[in-house]
Amino acid sequence: MAANAQSIILHQYDISPFSEKVRVVLGIKGLDWFACDEPVIMPKPELTALTGGYRKIPVMQIGADIYCDSQIIIRELERRFPSPSIHAGSDNGTGWGIAMWTDRVLFQAAVAIIFGGGTPLADEAFIKDREKLTGRPFDIEGMKAAAPMMAEQFRAQLGWLEEQLSDGRAFLPGDNPGLADASAFYNLAFVRWTSPNGVKLIESFPGVAAWEKRVAGIGHGNRQEVSREDALDIAKATASTEKANADPGEPNGLKPGDTVTVMADDYGRDPVSGELVSSSAQHIALKRNDPRVGDVVVHFPRAGFLVMKS
Ligand SMILES: N[C@@H](CCC(=O)N[C@@H](CS)C(=O)NCC(=O)O)C(=O)O
């Protein structure tokens, strides 16, 4: 079946670690979805037509609703497809906090090991692109120098996973896999794809290595492919399903109709502006228009993002 307005379309590329986090969640939930492959470096004209400037990967599209950042993608998947839940075992919400650890501290250690160890991924065009993304030099020599220290950091954090698994549980939250598993796993997958030295560190933890196999065994649900042009046509032909909603608890008085700008608080801070449709403690949705895709609503998480009223 071809992709349509109800399909989950994941704008991604295969060696994108944050896409792997979402793919594992799609696997936990056993969902049908479409991969729309995007370039690894800029330009990404089709992606930014949908997002209004956000260029990071992954982005999820369902019709004319565009979800930027793995956190809001997974929250939306949980909302639309609650069973089985990503909140497994005793996790009702702290899984999001675990993801903040794995997406920032653990990920930075993995990146330093991968790029400090030399990888063909880092060609000249890639380095230039990532310098623009982060606003900092992509300092391979510095990463090489830091790699031994970062190996210690990575090992210490792998040790936490080993301790969590030490009572024989199958997954981090207990008998069933959840958000914590997807969040930790993708970092290890990224290391396995790219860094033999990093793999040795992982292999030194038998419980972690066995858990990794179990998470890999979950799979990615049922994947099909969709082209970028077809994905844009779907957005153009569809209206967003997001309803206007004023949050009385908004600390800074934001309300539907306000013009706001949203950007990540870490790297890839390309601002996206639009008219606020709805917001909550965990979510903000902006309406914007693009000649290629018409009216779309772009969704972001609140934790890790800055919102400015224009
Ligand atoms: N906080 C973001 C991080 C996403 C991220 O850094 N993605 C990487 C690829 S895995 C990226 O976009 N790199 C730059 C690029 O692909 O253009 C999320 O959770 O989705």
Side-chain angles (χ1 to χ4, degrees):
M1 208 184 71
N4 61 35
Q6 280 76 46
S7 304
I8 298 167
I9 298 176
L10 190 68
H11 296 263
Q12 61 121 55
Y13 48 86
D14 284 351
I15 57 154
S16 149
F18 285 90
S19 301
E20 181 67 8
K21 177 184 173 192
V22 175
R23 292 186 296 247
V24 171
V25 169
L26 291 163
I28 290 173
K29 292 184 173 292
L31 293 171
D32 294 337
W33 61 284
F34 289 81
C36 182
D37 280 330
E38 295 287 348
V40 177
I41 61 175
M42 291 294 270
K44 309 185 191 191
E46 297 91 353
L47 185 71
T48 51
L50 289 167
T51 63
Y54 183 87
R55 53 84 46 113
K56 288 197 268 182
I57 296 291
V59 167
M60 180 173 79
Q61 172 189 356
I62 301 181
D65 285 287
I66 314 299
Y67 301 87
C68 299
D69 190 286
S70 60
Q71 185 194 144
I72 199 70
I73 294 173
I74 293 171
R75 183 171 284 278
E76 185 63 14
L77 288 173
E78 180 74 3
R79 192 182 73 81
R80 291 184 190 236
F81 309 99
S83 180
S85 176
I86 50 151
H87 296 296
S90 61
D91 169 34
N92 285 332
T94 50
W96 300 114
I98 291 175
M100 273 287 180
W101 154 52
T102 65
D103 290 5
R104 296 189 177 215
V105 185
L106 183 59
F107 181 65
Q108 284 315 321
V111 164
I113 288 170
I114 291 164
F115 292 99
T119 160
L121 255 187
D123 64 16
E124 206 185 312
F126 180 89
I127 289 173
K128 281 216 169 79
D129 180 79
R130 292 318 193 244
E131 289 189 333
K132 214 159 170 219
L133 175 77
T134 58
R136 283 187 276 122
F138 196 88
D139 180 7
I140 298 274
E141 285 312 310
M143 283 195 253
K144 270 194 188 136
M149 273 83 86
M150 293 315 275
E152 291 171 17
Q153 295 303 311
F154 192 59
R155 181 165 171 260
Q157 293 170 62
L158 291 176
W160 299 344
L161 298 177
E162 188 77 8
E163 284 173 18
Q164 177 73 359
L165 294 161
S166 63
D167 61 2
R169 62 183 61 211
F171 296 102
L172 296 173
D175 294 340
N176 297 308
L179 179 56
D181 297 285
S183 303
F185 175 81
Y186 80 80
N187 282 287
L188 279 63
F190 192 27
V191 166
R192 281 200 183 268
W193 298 334
T194 51
S195 169
N197 282 341
V199 171
K200 278 189 215 141
L201 286 174
I202 298 173
E203 296 287 346
S204 69
F205 293 99
V208 170
W211 159 82
E212 256 190 304
K213 288 203 178 78
R214 287 192 289 276
V215 179
I218 295 167
H220 291 160
N222 176 27
R223 168 177 170 163
Q224 291 170 270
E225 310 295 320
V226 64
S227 72
R228 298 203 282 271
E229 285 305 322
D230 285 354
L232 296 187
D233 289 344
I234 289 170
K236 174 95 182 164
T238 317
S240 163
T241 58
E242 186 68 18
K243 304 259 176 309
N245 180 46
D247 172 7
E250 266 295 339
N252 298 312
L254 299 171
K255 52 182 191 322
D258 287 348
T259 302
V260 295
T261 299
V262 178
M263 64 168 82
D265 74 359
D266 48 2
Y267 56 93
R269 301 175 68 151
D270 306 272
V272 177
S273 298
E275 182 191 317
L276 194 147
V277 178
S278 72
S279 68
S280 71
Q282 304 301 339
H283 169 232
I284 186 158
L286 313 183
K287 186 161 107 180
R288 48 174 299 279
N289 182 276
D290 176 276
R292 174 66 180 90
V293 296
D295 281 344
V296 290
V297 170
V298 189
H299 305 250
F300 297 92
R302 298 301 288 271
F305 281 77
L306 309 171
V307 179
M308 284 142 299
K309 203 167 157 181
S310 307

